[in-house]
Amino acid sequence: MTCAGLSLLVCTCLSALFEVHSMPAPFPNAQVLLANADGDATADVFIVDASRLVAYPSAADHAPVTIPLAEDTSAFDIADLDGDGRNEVIGVSRERILCYTILTEGAASPPRELFTLHTQFADVAGGPYPEIIVVKRVGHPLLALPCSEAIEMRGMDGTLLSRHPIKEKTEIYSDSLFGFLLRSCGDLSIGVSMDRYPDPQSALPDGLSATLLEDAIKHRPYGYERPDDRSEEPYWWFTLKTDGTAHLRVLCSPGSPRHPVTNIRIREASSKEDDFLDKNITLGPERRYPGNLILSADRPDFNHDGYVDLVLWNAPMPGMSVDALTRAITGGAWPLDIAVHLFSPEKKRFEPVPRAQISLTVPVLWFFQRGPIQNEVFRDFNGDGRTDIACSNAKNTFAAWLFTENGFSRSPDFQYTFPEPISGLEFAADLDGKGRTSIGLRGEKNFYLLRPVS
């Protein structure tokens, strides 16, 4: 079904949880971005289509808007340059710094040239790619342009306002902006890499910072370590607080493949400083939970108490004999259980009995490929503050379960079968700032936006 002759296909499933929008993907690795394309407060989808950007504004019911990019465009950014509440596109075409207006209707207007400057972006070929160019300083947007020896901060007319030398081994991050990713929403962040390594001695402008590599590794949300000198096997760990503070961690190690269990210990440091120095560390007793750990960057918190909960999967694995494998593969699908163990701050442990479970079937071949849990999302879909679960349960089917005081329902609260296999999860983000997560899925020929129904 085509909407008024446009290429946007809108599919609404019977479930009241999500509406599904289909957008053509010009090639398998087409980049998908989130930024504001219209004047509302909802982030929109942009797709890089060779030498053009195609935006799908929510205010226009996701009808496509095309922004042709100049020949030889390399880096581009999407940001509000004049404070009118509407974004523009800044693009670099060799030495030319160009500005494009995003129109919601009518033919696209040619870009206007702001100024010319030779930057590192001019030396990169291979087609348009998103990059953080626009940064704010004292409330005003400026252009941060990496030249041969310095980051130059320039006004929209090209006026040089400051230079910040790029020393060797420097990696630059934007702490205050999200660049092309969801500038209007606060649940995503992005780093801008200059293909170098961190050096805190680099002089950087406000809003940009260099980060020590050791510090970044120490405080990442996942990792592995030996909990003490007597440990033969390292433990994987993840942070226990949803705010990401690392002084309270969960150490976990798997059991044997034939008897899947997850061994858990709680590691607590007396302070953030002691955590960094591995001093004054308290290790709780090891506890065993049946199943295989599912690690997620979403930090699932099903009861909304500020602590990450434990999510495990379990399945009766097929035997390793030729006959057993043949029967399993012939059957096509295999049963799978997902169990949620809530963390108890008072007891400083995960509850031994699952608080909720999901039973589903998945293609048996997934066990021998990327794993049985694919395209998983642990986020809040209906805005009630509780983490919900979504994942693929067939190569072209995606399902979601809402967590309530009674756990999960036996059947999915949402299930949709796409006209093609789903090849990956593109994003999971709160696009309108109302606490409801939208999901982006990539197919072979289309990109699909699952947007929560109001």
Side-chain angles (χ1 to χ4, degrees):
M1 168 175 163
T2 305
C3 179
L6 299 172
S7 59
L8 176 63
L9 177 67
V10 181
C11 313
T12 304
C13 69
L14 297 178
S15 169
L17 184 57
F18 291 106
E19 59 184 19
V20 181
H21 299 266
S22 174
M23 306 169 187
F27 45 89
N29 295 322
Q31 290 182 293
V32 177
L33 318 174
L34 296 175
N36 200 295
D38 45 43
D40 64 12
T42 300
D44 305 304
V45 174
F46 286 74
I47 297 179
V48 183
D49 182 355
S51 61
R52 63 180 188 167
L53 273 176
V54 181
Y56 294 87
S58 58
D61 199 22
H62 302 279
V65 174
T66 299
I67 304 108
L69 299 176
E71 186 178 1
D72 294 329
T73 295
S74 54
F76 69 87
D77 196 2
I78 304 170
D80 183 5
L81 302 182
D82 51 17
D84 65 351
R86 301 182 67 91
N87 280 344
E88 290 80 31
V89 176
I90 289 290
V92 180
S93 174
R94 297 300 180 182
E95 280 74 31
R96 297 192 300 158
I97 312 300
L98 304 174
C99 177
Y100 302 79
T101 300
I102 304 174
L103 300 177
T104 54
E105 59 183 18
S109 57
R112 72 179 191 273
E113 182 175 306
L114 300 180
F115 56 91
T116 60
L117 180 70
H118 184 79
T119 68
Q120 292 186 22
F121 295 143
D123 299 329
V124 180
Y129 60 89
E131 186 65 274
I132 292 179
I133 299 175
V134 182
V135 297
K136 282 190 176 180
R137 205 171 190 185
V138 198
H140 298 287
L142 301 177
L143 304 182
L145 297 168
C147 298
S148 59
E149 297 180 351
I151 298 279
E152 294 191 358
M153 303 293 291
R154 292 181 176 262
M156 298 304 152
D157 60 356
T159 301
L160 178 63
L161 302 175
S162 60
R163 296 180 79 254
H164 306 270
I166 300 176
K167 295 191 175 183
E168 249 184 283
K169 299 184 177 180
T170 298
E171 185 162 316
I172 299 170
Y173 296 90
S174 171
D175 293 332
S176 59
L177 298 178
F178 307 135
F180 55 88
L181 280 177
L182 218 57
R183 284 186 192 270
S184 61
C185 303
D187 64 343
L188 292 180
S189 60
I190 183 169
V192 183
S193 172
M194 306 300 292
D195 296 324
R196 306 182 183 185
Y197 297 97
D199 178 359
Q201 302 305 317
S202 297
L204 297 172
D206 294 342
L208 299 176
S209 65
T211 303
L212 277 172
L213 180 62
E214 293 82 358
D215 182 72
I217 290 176
K218 194 72 177 180
H219 290 88
R220 63 192 185 277
Y222 300 105
Y224 67 92
E225 64 181 31
R226 299 182 187 277
D228 54 54
D229 294 336
R230 296 166 296 176
S231 300
E232 296 180 0
E233 296 294 332
Y235 277 64
W236 288 98
W237 63 262
F238 60 90
T239 55
L240 187 50
K241 296 295 293 293
T242 55
D243 61 8
T245 53
H247 66 283
L248 190 60
R249 306 184 194 178
V250 179
L251 308 183
C252 45
S253 64
S256 66
R258 289 189 173 274
H259 301 285
V261 296
T262 298
N263 304 308
I264 295 290
R265 300 183 74 176
I266 305 300
R267 174 192 183 276
E268 185 173 10
S270 57
S271 67
K272 293 181 181 180
E273 292 73 19
D274 285 345
D275 171 67
F276 186 82
L277 298 172
D278 287 325
K279 292 172 55 180
N280 301 320
I281 302 299
T282 301
L283 288 173
E286 184 176 86
R287 293 183 169 90
R288 296 160 59 90
Y289 296 83
N292 302 278
L293 178 67
I294 304 175
L295 282 176
S296 171
D298 290 329
R299 298 191 180 106
D301 179 9
F302 294 92
N303 57 345
H304 195 48
D305 64 351
Y307 290 89
V308 177
D309 298 314
L310 189 65
V311 187
L312 305 167
W313 69 265
N314 210 336
M317 295 295 291
M320 298 308 294
S321 69
V322 174
D323 288 342
L325 288 173
T326 301
R327 288 195 301 271
I329 294 173
T330 302
W334 200 261
L336 178 74
D337 293 325
I338 298 176
V340 170
H341 295 259
L342 300 182
F343 182 75
S344 171
E346 296 79 15
K347 301 175 184 176
K348 292 189 177 182
R349 70 176 189 186
F350 293 102
E351 296 291 359
V353 178
R355 178 64 179 82
Q357 285 186 289
I358 293 173
S359 295
L360 66 157
T361 59
V362 296
V364 69
L365 288 178
W366 287 2
F367 287 91
F368 305 100
Q369 297 171 348
R370 290 185 296 163
I373 312 295
Q374 296 196 9
N375 304 319
E376 68 273 10
V377 180
F378 299 155
R379 297 286 294 266
D380 182 4
F381 303 140
N382 59 354
D384 65 355
R386 302 172 185 267
T387 294
D388 308 308
I389 288 181
C391 65
S392 292
N393 54 355
K395 64 179 182 179
N396 62 337
T397 303
F398 192 77
W401 292 260
L402 296 177
F403 185 86
T404 68
E405 292 182 358
N406 299 319
F408 297 109
S409 59
R410 298 188 65 177
S411 300
D413 295 282
F414 168 89
Q415 184 162 287
Y416 190 83
T417 300
F418 298 90
E420 60 179 332
I422 297 302
S423 58
L425 172 70
E426 197 67 37
F427 66 80
D430 177 7
L431 299 187
D432 57 11
K434 296 181 179 179
R436 303 172 305 179
T437 297
S438 295
I439 298 172
L441 298 171
R442 184 184 292 273
E444 295 176 348
K445 298 181 179 178
N446 296 279
F447 167 78
Y448 299 96
L449 172 63
L450 279 60
R451 185 179 176 185
V453 175
S454 298

